[in-house]
Amino acid sequence: MYTCGPTVYDYAHIGNFRAFLFEDLLKRWLVHRGFKVMHVMNLTDIDDKTIKGSQKQQMPLRKFTDFYVKAFFEDIKALNIEPADVFPRATDLVPEMVTLIKTLMDKGYAYRGEDSSIYYAVCKFPGYGKLSKIKVDELKAGARVSQDEYAKEEAQDFALWKAWTPEDGDVFWETELGKGRPGWHIECSAMSMKYLGETFDIHCGGVDNMFPHHENEIAQSEAATGKKFVDYWLHNEHLLVEGKKMAKRLGNFYTLRDLLAKGYDPIVIRYLLMSTHYRQQFNFTFEGLESAKGAVEKLRNLARRLHDANGGKESKGTVATLTSKLEACFDGSMDNDLDIGTALASLFDFVREINGLLDENKVSKQESADIGGYLMQLDEVLGVIGKVEVEEALPLDIDGLVQKREQARKAKSWKEADAIRAQLKVMGIVLEDTAQGVRWHKEKA
Ligand SMILES: [Zn+2]
C-alpha cells in the first residue's frame, strides 16, 4: 500500500490528516482481516514550497525539512496513526528517479524542452486519463499556456526533471540528466516501485491528487515498465470547515497543533476525522468535535465499567447474542468499502444495550471480560479507547466530597448533591451513578 505523504514545508493541516486517518483506518482494517500490509508513505522534501521556505529561513533545505518531518511524526503519534513501514524521503532517492526518467527518454515518452528540463509527452501514452476520466483533447483546449510553458511541446506535458534556475539557489543535483531536481510526480513513481515492485495492490490519496498527480504517476510508471501500476486506487473526498473550503484567508484554516492549543484531545480529533465515510465530503465543525468527545467518552466509560465490574448475574446468553450481532454488522459494514458510519452506529447500539444490562446488574464477571476483550479488539481498528485506567485511590478531600454527595443523595437532597458534583467537575473528577453505586473517573483534557 502506497499513500502520498506530506510536503514537509509547514505543519500538516486537518485536511491532510483526514486523508492520513482514512488510510490508517484502511490499513488497520486490512490487518484486522488477516492481511499482511506493507505500507509506504513518502515525504516530499523537495519542491517549490520547500525550497522557498528554506531560503526564507536561510537554512539548508535538509535542515529546514527535517524540522517539519519531526513535527509530522509527532502529529501522527498524537493522532495514534500507525507509522508506515517505510517513509522514504524524495531527496534520498534521486538516483532512482534519474534511472526512471532515463528509461522514459529511451522509450520515447520523454523529451528535453527548450529550457533544458525534461518533460513527459502525454500524447504518447494512450491510457492517459483512465483514472480521472480526463480527456487529453479537452486538456489541450483548456490549458492556460503561461510564459514558461512555451519550453514544452504541449501544454499538458509535465516536468520529470527541472533544470536548475537561479531561483533554486544551492538546491540541485548534478546527474546524467544535467544540473537540476526531480519533478513532484516522478518522486511517487520511483519511491513506490522501489519498495513495492512494479505492480502493487493499493494506492491512496486525497481526491485532489487524482488529477494530475496520480494520472501522471500511472503514465510514468506504466510507460516505463509496460505493466499495470496499481490494482486499487482509493481517494478520500475534501474536508470543509464550517461548510466552507478551508483557507488561511477565510480564517478557518487549522493545523492539528492549532486544535491541540485550544485544548482538544487528539484522540477526539482522530475520532471525528475518521468517522465519516472517506468518499463523502466531511464538514469539520467545533460542534462536531464536542459530540466526538462525547462518543469517545462513551466508549471509554464502557471499557472502564467492564474493567471494574464486580460481576452480577449471568445475562442468559444476551451478551453473547449482542456481541455476535455487533460483530456481524461491524465487519459487514467495514468490508463494504469501509462504511465506518454504519459500523460505528452498530457499536453504539451495542454500548447502549450493554450499559442497560450493567445497570440491571445482569452481566457476569466472565461476560464483562469477554465484552472488554472484544472492545479492545475493535479498538485495534478504531484506536480511540486505549488502555483503561484503573481507578486510583482518591485523594482524601475528593473522597470526602464523593461520600458527602452520596449521603446527600440518600437523603434526597438533590440540590446539594448536584452542587458537590459540580464542585468535583471543576476538580476534573466526573461522577457516574450506577446500580453498583457511584463511580468516578478523571476527565480527559
Ligand atoms: Zn504522490
Side-chain angles (χ1 to χ4, degrees):
M1 167 169 160
Y2 184 85
T3 57
C4 290
T7 303
V8 281
Y9 73 104
D10 202 348
Y11 297 115
H13 58 68
I14 54 174
N16 303 132
F17 286 117
R18 185 196 185 192
F20 303 144
L21 279 164
F22 135 65
E23 293 156 358
D24 187 53
L25 186 65
L26 171 66
K27 176 164 106 183
R28 285 168 178 256
W29 185 248
L30 291 170
V31 170
H32 180 79
R33 279 308 217 179
F35 291 93
K36 195 164 168 263
V37 180
M38 162 79 176
H39 177 202
V40 180
M41 178 187 269
N42 70 299
L43 302 168
T44 297
D45 61 354
I46 167 84
D47 77 330
D48 292 347
K49 291 182 205 144
T50 47
I51 293 174
K52 266 195 202 119
S54 70
Q55 287 170 346
K56 217 171 147 190
Q57 304 270 325
Q58 296 181 314
M59 243 185 224
L61 181 69
R62 185 77 181 198
K63 201 175 158 205
F64 173 76
T65 56
D66 272 350
F67 178 84
Y68 290 106
V69 169
K70 191 170 157 266
F72 175 68
F73 287 146
E74 287 166 5
D75 286 357
I76 61 172
K77 191 168 177 213
L79 289 170
N80 197 16
I81 292 176
E82 285 186 355
D85 298 282
V86 198
F87 284 103
R89 289 176 69 156
T91 54
D92 290 335
L93 275 86
V94 174
E96 282 81 352
M97 296 168 203
V98 169
T99 306
L100 193 53
I101 296 169
K102 272 170 59 193
T103 306
L104 290 170
M105 289 187 86
D106 291 346
K107 291 192 162 188
Y109 288 97
Y111 63 91
R112 197 175 285 276
E114 282 170 26
D115 60 348
S116 290
S117 293
I118 297 171
Y119 295 95
Y120 187 96
V122 166
C123 64
K124 296 271 170 67
F125 185 71
Y128 197 85
K130 63 183 172 181
L131 179 71
S132 58
K133 310 285 180 258
I134 260 165
K135 300 216 165 47
V136 177
D137 293 347
E138 288 165 19
L139 267 181
K140 274 186 192 174
R144 210 163 44 102
V145 181
S146 73
Q147 207 61 26
D148 63 330
E149 278 175 338
Y150 286 117
K152 36 187 185 170
E153 289 168 4
E154 300 274 4
Q156 73 274 14
D157 294 352
F158 58 91
L160 298 166
W161 183 259
K162 296 186 170 181
W164 182 83
T165 61
E167 293 86 71
D168 292 345
D170 60 356
V171 179
F172 60 84
W173 283 260
E174 288 278 13
T175 72
E176 293 167 66
L177 303 174
K179 181 178 173 180
R181 60 179 164 110
W184 172 39
H185 312 298
I186 198 74
E187 291 175 12
C188 281
S189 286
M191 290 191 267
S192 58
M193 291 198 288
K194 177 178 168 93
Y195 293 101
L196 299 172
E198 292 176 341
T199 301
F200 57 93
D201 300 312
I202 298 172
H203 194 314
C204 305
V207 69
D208 47 332
N209 278 341
M210 189 190 286
F211 179 83
H213 185 48
H214 293 159
E215 199 67 62
N216 292 353
E217 279 186 45
I218 295 175
Q220 297 160 157
S221 309
E222 298 193 355
T225 66
K227 291 177 191 154
K228 188 179 186 188
F229 178 45
V230 167
D231 279 327
Y232 299 97
W233 289 90
L234 287 87
H235 293 99
N236 63 281
E237 265 296 335
H238 288 292
L239 171 131
L240 302 173
V241 174
E242 309 281 354
K244 292 198 186 82
K245 201 177 161 189
M246 186 167 74
K248 280 185 179 152
R249 66 185 164 80
L250 292 178
N252 67 351
F253 184 95
Y254 298 106
T255 63
L256 174 66
R257 281 152 198 257
D258 294 333
L259 297 180
L260 298 184
K262 286 179 186 283
Y264 290 101
D265 175 353
I267 297 302
V268 168
I269 300 168
R270 171 188 174 87
Y271 179 89
L272 180 64
L273 291 178
M274 72 171 194
S275 58
T276 298
H277 191 266
Y278 73 95
R279 284 192 290 107
Q280 272 174 10
Q281 277 201 345
F282 172 69
N283 186 23
F284 174 91
T285 63
F286 284 94
E287 212 182 308
L289 257 185
E290 285 306 320
S291 59
K293 185 178 171 189
V296 170
E297 265 313 301
K298 252 185 214 166
L299 295 174
R300 286 178 179 161
N301 273 337
L302 178 61
R304 267 191 293 264
R305 282 188 85 174
L306 293 164
H307 185 274
D308 301 338
N310 291 322
K313 289 167 253 155
E314 239 264 11
S315 75
K316 299 200 183 77
T318 314
V319 164
T321 309
L322 288 172
T323 306
S324 52
K325 191 175 134 200
L326 169 63
E327 198 173 352
C329 186
F330 195 96
D331 291 5
S333 308
M334 290 297 280
D335 282 348
N336 180 19
D337 195 21
L338 289 188
D339 183 359
I340 183 73
T342 310
L344 286 174
S346 63
L347 175 57
F348 282 103
D349 283 346
F350 176 81
V351 170
R352 190 171 31 81
E353 307 238 33
I354 297 297
N355 274 326
L357 290 173
L358 283 165
D359 290 345
E360 293 169 36
N361 211 14
K362 278 185 186 161
V363 183
S364 72
K365 205 161 174 86
Q366 181 58 48
E367 287 173 326
S368 293
D370 291 347
I371 305 167
Y374 180 55
L375 266 190
M376 288 305 109
Q377 258 184 47
L378 287 187
D379 198 46
E380 283 172 17
V381 178
L382 301 173
V384 295
I385 301 176
K387 250 182 94 185
V388 181
E389 326 147 26
V390 181
E391 285 187 13
E392 314 138 42
L394 279 174
L396 273 179
D397 52 336
I398 296 179
D399 194 39
L401 281 172
V402 173
Q403 290 191 11
K404 210 171 137 199
R405 179 175 166 277
E406 274 296 86
Q407 283 162 10
R409 256 162 49 88
K410 275 184 192 138
K412 299 202 188 323
S413 320
W414 306 122
K415 223 172 153 183
E416 193 193 345
D418 285 348
I420 299 174
R421 175 195 280 269
Q423 194 183 345
L424 285 162
K425 174 117 178 79
V426 173
M427 298 162 89
I429 302 292
V430 178
L431 296 181
E432 222 189 318
D433 296 311
T434 74
Q436 290 84 33
V438 68
R439 301 167 33 79
W440 67 273
H441 65 265
K442 281 196 186 131
E443 191 177 41
K444 287 251 172 174

